Amino acid sequence: MTIIDTFKNIIKTEQTLSALPLRLIAGIIFTAHGAQKLFAWFGGYGLDGTGQWMESIGLTPGYLMALMAGGVEFFGGLLLIVGLLTRPTSLALAVTMVVAIFSVHFQNGLFMSNNGYEFGLTLLAISLALLIQGGGKYSLDNQLFKKKLSNTTS
């Protein structure tokens, strides 16, 4: 298997419309949460504040954990919005949500009203759906696959 074949398998996507609302809504949410962590936008605490909080709950080194989580959320959200590298991005976001669920929210139960894991679980489900189906009909992955790589010979 060549590098081109591997890349084609990564960006190949189902030809459905269902990925579009999943990508757009999750992408906006992830981008906003990442911006809170990285840039202190939207009422967030930025890298320093988020890093200190992460350190306080045992995710060390806190600054690095804040940088990683914020980076995956912010840049991953942007990639979801345009539908580029949807599968690997969704995998990274799913892992981030599993960490958030079990390190922050699980002990509080399901419901958001108690700082539970229901919202993280929802984002995890969306990420897993996109991991399975890809970016869909209206994604850059699909455009790349159809226009650039489908004619490439191995």
Side-chain angles (χ1 to χ4, degrees), residues 30-31 33-34 37 69-78 93 96-97:
F30 277 122
T31 300
H33 279 267
K37 291 175 182 71
V72 167
E73 290 174 353
F74 183 76
F75 294 107
L78 293 176
L93 289 165
T96 303
M97 287 299 92

Side-chain angles (χ1 to χ4, degrees), residues 78-95:
L78 293 176
L79 288 171
L80 284 187
I81 289 168
V82 298
L84 181 61
L85 300 173
T86 304
R87 284 195 167 100
T89 297
S90 295
L91 178 61
L93 289 165
V95 169

Side-chain angles (χ1 to χ4, degrees), residues 2-152:
T2 68
I3 292 174
I4 295 293
D5 291 333
T6 301
F7 188 66
K8 283 168 60 173
N9 287 332
I10 289 171
I11 67 169
K12 186 176 181 184
T13 184
E14 301 292 324
Q15 296 298 304
T16 63
L17 297 176
S18 62
L20 183 62
L22 295 176
R23 281 192 3 254
L24 293 177
I25 293 167
I28 290 166
I29 292 167
F30 277 122
T31 300
H33 279 267
Q36 287 179 313
K37 291 175 182 71
L38 293 177
F39 313 119
W41 294 353
F42 311 117
Y45 298 105
L47 281 173
D48 288 329
T50 303
Q52 289 171 11
W53 174 78
M54 286 188 165
E55 191 90 29
S56 77
I57 64 166
L59 294 174
T60 60
Y63 187 89
L64 178 61
M65 295 295 122
L67 181 62
M68 288 173 43
V72 167
E73 290 174 353
F74 183 76
F75 294 107
L78 293 176
L79 288 171
L80 284 187
I81 289 168
V82 298
L84 181 61
L85 300 173
T86 304
R87 284 195 167 100
T89 297
S90 295
L91 178 61
L93 289 165
V95 169
T96 303
M97 287 299 92
V98 168
V99 171
I101 288 167
F102 287 107
S103 64
V104 179
H105 302 287
F106 193 75
Q107 66 273 13
N108 300 320
L110 175 65
F111 297 105
M112 285 176 54
S113 59
N114 298 324
N115 196 29
Y117 59 90
E118 107 182 273
F119 186 61
L121 189 63
T122 303
L123 290 174
L124 172 61
I126 293 171
S127 297
L128 292 174
L130 291 170
L131 175 64
I132 293 166
Q133 73 179 5
K137 186 174 183 176
Y138 296 111
S139 67
L140 287 180
D141 286 342
N142 190 47
Q143 295 306 309
L144 281 172
F145 185 80
K146 285 178 15 185
K147 292 185 179 166
K148 302 288 183 197
L149 296 175
S150 61
N151 296 327
T152 306

